[in-house]
C-alpha cells in the first residue's frame, strides 16, 4: 500500500489528479465562442444519492400496522410494540385482513401524518391504497420511560363510496 496521500487508497497508477486549464479556452480545445463572448458551461449537479432519512416513529408504525392488517405478517409480530388495548384491537381486526390486496394489487402506504398533542404522544393517520380502494387508518403512539414508542390504539375507516350513492351520515 502506498503512503502517498495525494492519491486515493485504491489507485495504482502514478498519475495524480488532473488540473483544470488555467487560461481561456481556444476554439480548438473547448466549446466555441459565441458572438457575444465565451460560452459558459453550467455547473454539473452531483450524482451522489441524497442521504436516506430515517422513518419517523409514526411512519415506521404505519408500515408495520399495514403489514399486519393486510395479512403479510402475523399479529404477534406487534407484541413488543403495543400497549394497553392496542394488541387486542389488532387481534380482533387482523383475522379479517381488512387491508388485504384486491385484484392482485398489494396495499401501499400513500400518506402518513402525525401530530404531537403532548410530550411523548403522537396521534397519526395514514391512507392506504390497494387498487382503486383507499382506506384510512388512525393510531396513537406513546413513548415509554425507556424512550421506546409503542402503539396504544388503532382504528380503521374508509367505507367505499360509489358515484351517485348518498354518503353515510
Amino acid at each position: 500500500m502506498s503512503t502517498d496521500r495525494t492519491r486515493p487508497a485504491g489507485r495504482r497508477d502514478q498519475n495524480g489528479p488532473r488540473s483544470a486549464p488555467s487560461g481561456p479556452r481556444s476554439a480548438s480545445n473547448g466549446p466555441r465562442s459565441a458572438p457575444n463572448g465565451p460560452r459558459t458551461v453550467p455547473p454539473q449537479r452531483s450524482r451522489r444519492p441524497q442521504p436516506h432519512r430515517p422513518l419517523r416513529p409514526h411512519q415506521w408504525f404505519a408500515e408495520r400496522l399495514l403489514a399486519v392488517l393486510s395479512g403479510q405478517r402475523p399479529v404477534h409480530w406487534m407484541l413488543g410494540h403495543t400497549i394497553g388495548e392496542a394488541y387486542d384491537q389488532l387481534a380482533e381486526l387482523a383475522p379479517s385482513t381488512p387491508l388485504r390486496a384486491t385484484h392482485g394489487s398489494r396495499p401501499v402506504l400513500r400518506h402518513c401524518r402525525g401530530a404531537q398533542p403532548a410530550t411523548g404522544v403522537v396521534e397519526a393517520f395514514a391512507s392506504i391504497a390497494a387498487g382503486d380502494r383507499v382506506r384510512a387508518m388512525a393510531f396513537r403512539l406513546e413513548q415509554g420511560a425507556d424512550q421506546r414508542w409503542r402503539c396504544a390504539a388503532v382504528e380503521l375507516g374508509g367505507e367505499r363510496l360509489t358515484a351517485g350513492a348518498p354518503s353515510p351520515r
Side-chain angles (χ1 to χ4, degrees), residues 24 34 103:
H103 304 293

Side-chain angles (χ1 to χ4, degrees), residues 83 120 142-150:
I83 57 173
E142 295 178 4
Q143 193 172 31
D146 60 356
Q147 300 301 307
R148 290 181 53 200
W149 290 97
R150 291 179 180 84

Side-chain angles (χ1 to χ4, degrees), residues 30-116:
R32 288 186 287 168
S33 296
N36 296 338
R39 190 170 117 193
T40 60
V41 178
Q44 293 182 353
R45 292 185 180 179
S46 172
R47 294 208 177 242
R48 289 185 205 156
Q50 295 298 324
H52 182 64
R53 290 188 338 192
L55 292 177
R56 294 182 178 159
H58 61 277
Q59 294 167 324
W60 187 83
F61 270 92
E63 291 285 350
R64 291 182 77 92
L65 291 169
L66 173 60
V68 169
L69 296 173
S70 65
Q72 297 172 34
R73 293 287 187 164
V75 179
H76 68 266
W77 192 53
M78 292 293 290
L79 260 175
H81 303 289
T82 56
I83 57 173
E85 295 181 14
Y87 186 78
D88 297 333
Q89 292 169 335
L90 280 174
E92 187 177 314
L93 289 169
S96 64
T97 58
L99 301 178
R100 68 186 166 277
T102 56
H103 304 293
S105 59
R106 188 173 163 209
V108 294
L109 187 64
R110 287 178 56 191
H111 300 286
C112 183
R113 303 282 189 264
Q116 194 167 5

